[in-house]
């Protein structure tokens, strides 16, 4: 959204101050481009729903309509369907979380949980600490409530505790209030790295000492490839963590069902916020998911997704090794994303039009920073295209990168060029690839 | 939500200022009580979804899964499914609205459209003008963004233009900024009255003169009983009206699909706000509704609903005539609600526990005012119970009202009592019933 006056908008001076934070993300503009069939999109975060047992889902829907149609078609509770909340406890138990069904609030995807938590806690000017880089639409939400975002450094083991301490001290020295630490500790979006167990303990301890609520966003934790990741942070800290989960990656995003697990007093307020925003999450899609979980081998299905995405991750890493061996990238043990660092002052954002011309799309690193960092990074997602298309996408990308390098070399031999300095990459590639 | 410190909530001092506006509504507390099967609830606003052709809906779902399952299970666009937006134009055309499919944004029920519009326009302290009485959960949303609410008087022809002018002048004289005029002009919730055509023109003219956006919320317009109501305000004013519609009353609230039709520049910002809040509305439920509309006689089904609710409205009016002939009430030509005015200093809020003891529930009038008014009013809904239960509910209510009157008479003959003065009823009953 532009914050410049728009002669075509007679209501321009009516918008709330927070509306200026509602900017179109760089990811958003990409969606239109990347949806053209000839483009190999390594840009999106769409799960491969074609791997779902669609017959089983259809059967579940038919049973819902037959056995409890009027209830599924009706308004529901602002907290969500009790039967589904019980099943959500089973999902979270897989990552070590013990909780009461009373403390789960079902939301319209975990995105809406992010929105509700932010609405509940953030005054204009409050600071949210977030990994650098962070999930782009979380940053959009924080900004839409006028939060300031302070990025904490990451390395291949996730959030760096010393950097966290330093940022807390610096923000407080500037007289600002820190409300939340937002983190995707497992198979992070976009960096693809995982916070080690010891660091989880350290980060929770730092948060506790400083009275900062941890907002743990965990959409990918069950989608591991080489062995289970550390348990969720919420598994060892009940009062200091608001935990977000979702069925969008392990089942289907089209249902828009996620959840928040919050300390008891907080969850009461989240229910009120949920009711104000949507009255109740969809009874229908909640009922379908609950029925599916009660009859399907949903854990086995998550195993199927692991196999699908493992093969795609491997295809991407192999293609990067083959086509772009001198670049740096992270090696995710799960999730959807590889984070690539470009060499030689290449700028991922200005390179994007050339990439689209070569029929490949990615997300520029700047989308994942609130501070302009990330120009030398790009996020490549391996969740949606088949292994063959992933390989072809990376091949096309190598044409773009190599072409851009040649161009820069040519120019640098003929005339001085003003090029933005590369942003410091917060993610060091793992030793075996650097 | 209490705004008092809560020793059990260690995060009490972390909440945003706006959180104090997220109070539990009086309607909310009632839901728990009213859901007991032995209670006749005249309190809720649940549509009678059992009147839907469930087989047709099931067939539509099966076709969606068979023909486009992966798309329906996937993320969608933040603006909503193009095919459904085209069909939404057909729905709105029934109330005289001509619009472009580009200016429709699908939302998670029209409740979420209310939330998004409020987030986009309201700074703390901004004023929203609203009918007195107004839809309770709209008031909750406005307060949750720290709006001040100024109620404009209504009579049996809806919002009173002179009162609107007077309130605009008074609010501006106090140095405050008016951002929105919120109105349910047709079969209003809770008053059950309809803004006349001439007044629609007058109100739009006043809003235009004063640079105030009209937020027209129209969930009930197609559910008329005695003849079509005036066309929507949006039918004659494009740039000055944000229009909200929903499938919750004409199809099923369990799908959580509503929409907003906004001036072009505003709708662009609403899409961004929608994406931040939920990424996209549910592809699945949108697809199901679109499929249902393409194969079912959906206009005929709305006719069926009209017949169902007409019979129930008649049952309620007849029962009121029979059991409580000396009370005043409105006579709705559509929608879900009758607004009753109690005599003799009776207080609907303090009377409620006695009503629940008599196994009947209603919504006290105070829920629909931001200013404490409405103590002598109650909203009776006829949408959900069968005609027999409606009659029985009103019979029980008469026991309560008459018992309360006797009690007051007894006390007033023995000792002076401090009783709150009755709030001024903003709704005069129509001449034929007063």
């Amino acid at each position: 959204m532009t914050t410049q006056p728009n002669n075509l908008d007679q209501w321009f001076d009516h918008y709330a101050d927070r509306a200026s934070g509602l900017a179109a993300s760089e990811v958003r503009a990409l969606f239109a481009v990347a949806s053209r069939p000839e483009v190999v999109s390594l840009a999106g975060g769409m799960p491969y729903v074609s791997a779902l047992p669609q017959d089983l889902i259809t059967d579940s829907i038919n049973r819902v309509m037959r056995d409890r149609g009027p209830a599924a078609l009706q308004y529901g509770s602002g907290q969500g369907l009790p039967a589904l909340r019980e099943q959500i406890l089973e999902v979270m138990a897989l990552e070590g979380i013990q909780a009461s069904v009373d403390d789960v609030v079902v939301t319209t995807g975990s995105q809406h949980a992010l929105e509700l938590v932010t609405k509940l806690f953030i005054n204009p000017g409050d600071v949210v600490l977030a990994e650098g880089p962070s999930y782009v639409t979380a940053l959009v939400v924080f900004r839409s409530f006028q939060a300031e975002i302070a990025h904490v450094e990451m390395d291949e083991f996730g959030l760096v505790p010393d950097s966290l301490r330093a940022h807390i001290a610096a923000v407080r020295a500037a007289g600002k209030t820190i409300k939340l630490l937002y983190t995707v500790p497992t198979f992070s979006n976009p960096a693809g790295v995982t916070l080690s167990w010891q660091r989880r303990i350290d980060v929770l301890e730092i948060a506790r000492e400083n009275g900062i609520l941890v907002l743990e966003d965990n959409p990918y934790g069950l989608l591991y490839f080489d062995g289970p990741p550390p348990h969720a942070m919420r598994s060892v800290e009940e009062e200091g963590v608001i935990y977000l989960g979702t069925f969008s990656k392990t089942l289907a995003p089209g249902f828009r069902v996620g959840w928040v697990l919050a300390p008891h007093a907080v969850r009461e307020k989240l229910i009120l916020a949920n009711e104000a925003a949507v009255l109740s999450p969809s009874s229908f899609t909640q009922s379908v998911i609950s029925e599916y979980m009660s009859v399907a081998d949903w854990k086995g299905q998550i195993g199927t997704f692991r196999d699908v995405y493992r093969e795609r991750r491997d295809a991407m890493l192999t293609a990067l090794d083959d086509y772009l061996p001198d670049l740096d990238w992270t090696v995710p043990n799960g999730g959807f994303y590889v984070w690539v660092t470009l060499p030689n002052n290449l700028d991922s954002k200005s390179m994007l039009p050339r990439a689209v011309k070569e029929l490949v799309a990615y997300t520029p690193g700047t989308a994942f920073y609130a501070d302009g960092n990330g120009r030398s990074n790009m996020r490549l997602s391996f969740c949606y295209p088949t292994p063959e298309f992933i390989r072809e996408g990376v091949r096309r990308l190598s044409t773009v990168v190599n072409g851009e390098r040649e161009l820069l070399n040519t120019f640098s031999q003929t005339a001085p060029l003003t090029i933005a300095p590369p942003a410091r990459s917060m993610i060091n590639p793992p030793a075996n690839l650097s």
Side-chain angles (χ1 to χ4, degrees), chain A:
Chain A
M1 182 188 310
T2 175
T3 55
Q4 301 304 311
N6 176 349
N7 289 335
L8 298 174
D9 185 0
Q10 73 171 102
W11 302 108
F12 179 79
D13 63 357
H14 274 53
Y15 295 114
D17 296 337
R18 73 178 72 82
S20 62
L22 275 172
S25 76
E26 295 169 81
V27 173
R28 181 172 184 269
L30 276 170
F31 281 161
V33 171
S35 66
R36 281 159 42 197
E38 66 274 22
V39 174
V40 173
S41 176
L42 307 175
M46 296 196 298
Y48 190 66
V49 293
S50 297
L52 285 168
Q54 305 218 8
D55 288 352
L56 262 179
I57 293 174
T58 304
D59 290 349
S60 300
I61 297 167
N62 280 313
R63 270 192 306 278
V64 165
M65 287 300 292
R66 190 191 63 205
D67 299 343
R68 46 207 150 103
L73 297 171
Q74 193 52 269
Y75 290 109
S77 118
Q79 184 168 8
L81 206 65
L84 182 64
R85 287 189 280 120
E86 293 278 3
Q87 291 160 316
I88 285 169
L89 295 186
E90 294 174 43
V91 177
M92 293 193 294
L94 297 177
E95 298 189 68
I97 295 174
Q98 302 289 319
S100 161
V101 71
D102 286 344
D103 296 337
V104 176
V105 181
V106 180
T107 54
T108 305
S110 59
Q111 185 68 35
H112 201 225
L114 262 176
E115 169 97 356
L116 296 176
V117 168
T118 308
K119 183 179 177 186
L120 192 58
F121 282 101
I122 298 299
N123 281 322
D126 283 348
V127 173
V128 176
L129 300 173
E131 287 141 349
S134 268
Y135 168 49
V136 53
T137 318
L139 301 181
V140 172
V141 171
F142 300 145
R143 280 190 294 236
S144 79
F145 284 98
Q146 298 169 272
E148 291 186 20
I149 295 154
H151 284 299
V152 179
E153 279 75 26
M154 303 175 85
D155 61 20
E156 72 264 39
F157 304 111
L159 210 55
V160 177
D162 283 344
S163 171
L164 177 59
R165 280 194 199 90
H167 276 84
I168 292 171
V171 170
R172 293 200 165 155
K176 293 175 182 171
T177 302
I178 302 170
K179 286 285 180 69
L180 299 169
L181 167 61
Y182 172 71
T183 174
V184 183
T186 305
F187 316 139
S188 74
N189 177 2
V193 301
T194 294
L195 192 65
S196 69
W197 181 250
Q198 184 54 49
R199 285 205 184 164
R200 289 175 194 233
I201 303 299
D202 293 347
V203 167
L204 286 169
E205 178 60 28
I206 295 168
R208 200 181 304 114
E209 280 168 9
N210 288 279
I212 296 170
L213 248 175
V214 175
L215 182 52
E216 179 180 24
D217 189 1
N218 186 26
Y220 309 106
L222 294 174
L223 298 174
Y224 52 83
F225 307 145
D226 310 316
H231 275 174
M233 298 169 82
R234 172 57 177 77
S235 70
V236 288
E237 170 63 56
E238 185 169 340
E239 284 302 316
V241 175
I242 296 178
Y243 177 92
L244 309 185
T246 183
F247 288 107
S248 291
K249 309 313 196 266
T250 53
L251 187 52
F255 292 138
R256 306 313 297 125
V257 178
W259 66 88
V260 51
L261 171 67
H264 199 74
V266 174
R267 79 79 219 240
E268 185 59 31
K269 295 170 178 64
L270 286 171
I271 296 170
L272 293 170
N274 206 18
E275 289 177 351
V278 298
L279 294 177
S280 64
S282 167
S283 303
F284 188 77
T285 60
Q286 287 184 84
S287 298
V288 169
I289 293 176
S290 181
E291 180 67 25
Y292 168 83
M293 290 187 75
S294 69
V295 298
D297 175 16
W298 58 272
K299 293 180 194 174
Q301 175 56 34
I302 293 173
T304 299
F305 275 128
R306 276 181 208 130
D307 295 341
V308 167
Y309 296 129
R310 183 191 300 108
E311 185 188 11
R312 291 168 184 212
R313 180 219 36 192
D314 292 345
M316 178 164 281
L317 295 180
T318 302
L320 284 167
D321 263 336
D322 291 347
Y323 292 118
L324 287 163
D326 56 338
L327 264 58
D328 291 333
W329 56 83
T330 58
V331 175
N333 169 31
F336 284 6
Y337 309 108
V338 169
W339 182 247
V340 175
T341 303
L342 294 168
N344 299 339
N345 290 350
L346 291 197
D347 181 322
S348 67
K349 196 171 169 184
S350 61
M351 193 174 77
L352 187 58
R354 181 184 286 251
V356 172
K357 190 156 161 275
E358 294 288 339
L359 304 181
V360 60
Y362 58 82
T363 311
T366 44
F368 307 98
Y369 287 90
D371 56 10
N373 258 322
R375 299 187 81 83
S376 63
N377 296 107
M378 58 173 74
R379 187 190 74 177
L380 302 184
S381 58
F382 51 81
C383 44
Y384 194 73
T386 61
E388 294 69 30
F389 276 103
I390 288 172
R391 187 169 178 85
E392 172 60 14
V394 173
R395 191 195 64 73
R396 293 177 188 174
L397 191 61
S398 71
T399 307
V400 179
V401 169
N402 293 329
E404 199 83 350
R405 275 200 282 211
E406 277 174 35
L407 198 70
L408 276 182
N409 286 337
T410 306
F411 272 100
S412 65
Q413 285 160 13
T414 53
L417 245 190
T418 306
I419 297 168
R424 183 158 56 112
S425 167
M426 301 307 181
I427 305 293
N428 299 316
N432 65 323
L433 276 160
S434 59

